[in-house]
Amino acid sequence: PVSMGRAVTWATCKAASTRTANWAKAKLEEPGFTPSALALYKAPVAFDLAGHAPATGLVMRLLQKELFRDGDFHASATDPTPPYGRTYRNAWLAWGAQRVGSYELSQATLNRLERELHKDMWGVPENDSVPADQRTYDLGTNASVLCALLSGGRLATAEKIGGFMAGMVVHQAVDAKRVLLAADAKGRLTEPADPVDVSDAGLVVFDIGAPNQVYWPLGFALRGFAQLYRATGHDTWLEPADHIAAWLARCHEDHLTQITNAKLAWGAAELFAATGKSNWADLALKILGHILSTQNPDGVWLRPEFANIDAQPMPITLDTALERMAYLSEIPRALAMGGRPLP
């Protein structure tokens, strides 16, 4: 198939993944490279999926030596990673550590994630280091934790988090113009404090039909609902996925080209694998074509808020590249499981 001007084949995906893996490993080995949670939190999953064993081993050594303590990969006092998204990143790293057999890291982190569960609404906060009454419980963070828990076989807790996510989705109207993606410590869906200028506002509010929205929380949620459906066989997990599909049908056309859309393809591919519904495969293929067509020759991706790759901070370049490297394996795998392998 051809999508977004680029032939979408297993060979093109594999070649793109290899370019990124080679570039990323070289960066990690450069003198003066400073490990940070922001730069490395997707690295174990991405390098393992790419079959790059030397890089996987290097990353795990860096994480254990420099960043990890007591179930948290943000333990270095010199790590410049911002505090927002602490739980989200810990969950990615727990999944990666579990994948590669670093159970001394993954199990301690999974234990920490389970301890973060809100006792009434069953969500997890985006940052467990802030006072309990100031915590935010957003859709994207909870989807990340759900993925990590399932990787560690903790289905019961994953279902509780899935219930929190499903409630957040289905209790908002299918024809809503604005969707809220986070709750406060009392379970109330929250608007941005300042609707004009709020850091990370896209993680808590989504305006349907408007351009330049942050799409990844919806994509990660789709993947979580697909996983729970496959794990339990319960059709109830498909209801929130269909709810999100109705929102996406009314989204701005930039949901196919916006830099935050890669997880939409990931979640859609997983839903296709779970349900066999072609609309999910079609969405995944369109966005996969865009991912391929926007990769730089050296294997990285430029985010639109930066004028050029030199202006883009290295931790952000690594994060953006490693994530897409993972999806270049994950999306074709899921499509093949659903019966539409790439040629």
Side-chain angles (χ1 to χ4, degrees):
V2 176
S3 180
M4 310 300 287
R6 175 63 66 93
V8 181
T9 68
W10 170 237
T12 58
C13 289
K14 184 64 176 176
S17 174
T18 299
R19 281 191 293 273
T20 301
N22 291 338
W23 171 86
K25 184 171 185 291
K27 288 297 176 184
L28 300 186
E29 293 176 328
E30 284 184 353
F33 172 75
T34 302
S36 69
L38 180 58
L40 296 179
Y41 74 98
K42 292 167 183 164
V45 170
F47 279 123
D48 188 50
L49 284 166
H52 205 311
T56 304
L58 170 62
V59 166
M60 299 314 298
R61 292 195 302 275
L62 286 172
L63 289 168
Q64 185 157 24
K65 179 181 178 182
E66 304 288 344
L67 301 177
F68 181 82
R69 185 173 66 248
D70 298 331
D72 182 23
F73 289 90
H74 302 76
S76 171
T78 60
D79 186 348
T81 298
Y84 196 96
R86 184 190 198 106
T87 301
Y88 173 82
R89 290 185 293 269
N90 275 338
W92 264 94
L93 285 159
W95 176 28
Q98 185 73 16
R99 276 188 63 93
V100 305
S102 291
Y103 303 123
E104 71 279 18
L105 305 185
S106 65
Q107 292 301 309
T109 309
L110 291 171
N111 291 341
R112 182 187 181 110
L113 295 173
E114 285 194 307
R115 288 196 302 269
E116 293 178 15
L117 275 175
H118 191 286
K119 64 182 180 64
D120 296 319
M121 61 183 173
W122 298 117
V124 291
E126 59 83 18
N127 184 354
D128 67 343
S129 68
V130 301
D133 62 347
Q134 299 176 23
R135 293 176 181 177
T136 299
Y137 298 75
D138 67 280
L139 186 69
T141 292
N142 279 270
S144 184
V145 173
L146 189 160
C147 172
L149 291 168
L150 283 178
S151 76
R154 304 191 186 199
L155 177 58
T157 309
E159 286 191 274
K160 291 177 180 178
I161 291 176
F164 166 76
M165 293 166 54
M168 180 177 290
V169 171
V170 302
H171 291 154
Q172 300 186 71
V174 170
D175 61 354
K177 293 182 179 179
R178 166 165 284 192
V179 174
L180 303 178
L181 302 179
D184 63 16
K186 294 184 178 180
R188 300 171 299 196
L189 295 180
T190 57
E191 295 264 7
D194 181 346
V196 177
D197 182 16
V198 180
S199 176
D200 294 312
L203 303 183
V204 301
V205 63
F206 187 91
D207 289 324
I208 295 175
N212 300 317
Q213 298 302 292
V214 177
Y215 291 100
W216 73 257
L218 297 180
F220 215 155
L222 289 174
R223 186 177 191 271
F225 296 135
Q227 289 180 298
L228 286 172
Y229 172 64
R230 296 186 66 155
T232 66
H234 297 157
D235 291 345
T236 51
W237 295 117
L238 299 180
E239 180 184 353
D242 290 339
H243 212 86
I244 292 174
W247 290 338
L248 292 175
R250 297 187 294 112
C251 280
H252 191 277
E253 62 184 9
D254 75 354
H255 75 280
L256 298 177
T257 58
Q258 222 269 355
I259 190 68
T260 65
N261 72 353
K263 285 187 182 68
L264 281 183
W266 191 33
E270 207 67 63
L271 274 162
F272 175 66
T275 67
K277 292 184 177 180
S278 61
N279 62 305
W280 294 119
D282 294 341
L283 177 60
L285 283 166
K286 289 176 182 177
I287 297 175
L288 181 57
H290 177 69
I291 293 172
L292 290 167
S293 67
T294 52
Q295 186 188 44
N296 285 5
D298 58 356
V300 303
W301 283 263
L302 177 66
R303 303 186 74 89
E305 59 265 36
F306 300 103
N308 54 63
I309 203 67
D310 292 329
Q312 185 166 272
M314 183 54 62
I316 293 177
T317 301
L318 276 164
D319 172 36
T320 304
L322 290 168
E323 175 179 28
R324 282 152 181 76
M325 186 171 91
Y327 302 155
L328 288 167
S329 294
E330 281 277 277
I331 295 168
R333 183 269 306 158
L335 291 171
M337 289 176 67
R340 283 178 67 173
L342 295 181

